[in-house]
Amino acid sequence: MLLLALDTATPAVTAALHDGTSVVAAHSQVDARRHGELLLPAVDRVLTEAGLRLDAVTGIVVGVGPGPYTGLRVGLMTADTFGLALGVPVYGLCTLDGLAYAAGGGEGGEAGIEGPFLVATDARRKEVYWARYADSRTRLTEPAVDRPGELDTGGLPAVGAGALLYPDTFPDAREPEHVSAASLASLAAERLAAGEELEAPRPLYLRRPDAQVPKNYKVVTPK
C-alpha cells in the first residue's frame, strides 16, 4: 500500500504519503489564496522526499471538507485526475475527521484529547464548520455550518482554526489549527486495514458558493 493524501479544505495546502504502516513523507503550507498553485509542488516534494515516483501510488485519499468552494475543489479535482491517470481508487475523508484524529494523538497529534471534544474550522462569514466527537475516531454529529454564538459547546475542548478564532464560544481551544494530510492518510490506512469503507470523494460544501447568477438582470439580446 502507498497512499497519497491531499487536502485543500482549509487554508493549509497539505500532502502526504503513507505506506500502510506509517507516514513516509508530508508537507503543509498555509496560504488560503494559493491552493491551485501550491498543491502539485507539495505532491512533488513528498514524492521526492520519499524517493518514489507517482506511479508507485496505489490509492488516493482526499479531504472532502466541509470547506469553501474554491479551495475545496482544487484538492478534489486533483485527486480525481490522479486516480484516473493511475487507475487507482480515490477515497474521501471528512476533513474534520482528520483534525479529530490528530487532536486525539494520532499521527501528528498535538492535543492528546481523550474524551469528548469539538472540531471547528473557519467557514468565513463569521461562521464555523463543526462537528462533535466522542473520541478521535468517532464522530457523533454530521458536519454543520453555524454562527459560533448559536452553538452550545458545553465547555468541551475544541480544536481547529474556528475554535481558536472564537474563544468566547470555545474557551478551551487547542491546536492543531489546520488539518494535515499525514493525519488523513493515517486515518484512511487504519480504516482500510480494518476493512471499513471510506466515503466517496464528493465535496461537503454545506452552503451555496458566493458567486451566483443575478435574479433580476436586464435582457440585452434582441427579441
Side-chain angles (χ1 to χ4, degrees):
M1 177 189 292
L2 184 66
L3 298 176
L4 170 64
L6 318 168
D7 195 287
T8 56
T10 75
V13 182
T14 178
L17 289 169
H18 196 289
D19 64 4
T21 301
S22 62
V23 173
V24 178
H27 176 71
S28 295
Q29 184 170 344
V30 177
D31 193 326
R33 298 181 181 274
R34 299 173 64 206
H35 291 95
E37 180 181 346
L38 296 174
L39 183 56
L40 290 181
V43 172
D44 183 65
R45 180 167 178 167
V46 296
L47 288 168
T48 300
E49 182 179 333
L52 297 168
R53 292 165 48 94
L54 184 60
D55 57 12
V57 170
T58 61
I60 311 293
V61 178
V62 61
V64 300
Y69 177 81
T70 302
L72 183 54
R73 65 179 179 174
V74 171
L76 287 162
M77 291 303 297
T78 301
D80 280 343
T81 300
F82 282 157
L84 287 171
L86 298 172
V88 300
V90 180
Y91 307 106
L93 271 182
C94 176
T95 297
L96 302 182
D97 290 355
L99 267 164
Y101 186 78
E107 190 78 42
E110 299 173 46
I113 301 174
E114 296 182 0
F117 65 98
L118 304 173
V119 174
T121 60
D122 183 14
R124 305 174 187 173
R125 302 183 192 173
K126 298 182 179 180
E127 294 178 328
V128 293
Y129 296 118
W130 71 281
R132 188 183 300 268
Y133 290 79
D135 54 52
S136 62
R137 293 169 174 80
T138 310
R139 176 157 38 90
L140 297 174
T141 62
E142 291 299 315
V145 57
D146 289 291
R147 290 186 177 275
E150 298 171 353
L151 300 179
D152 180 9
T153 65
L156 290 174
V159 301
L164 294 166
L165 190 60
Y166 299 102
D168 289 344
T169 300
F170 305 97
D172 189 5
R174 311 181 189 183
E175 299 284 347
E177 182 175 4
H178 302 300
V179 72
S180 71
S183 293
L184 282 174
S186 297
L187 179 58
E190 184 178 295
R191 289 180 174 175
L192 289 170
E196 298 180 27
E197 289 190 15
L198 302 186
E199 303 171 34
R202 299 292 178 263
L204 282 172
Y205 291 130
L206 300 188
R207 66 186 182 201
R208 296 178 63 82
D210 293 333
Q212 298 182 25
V213 177
K215 295 180 179 179
N216 299 309
Y217 58 88
K218 184 178 180 180
V219 177
V220 296
T221 54
K223 295 182 179 179

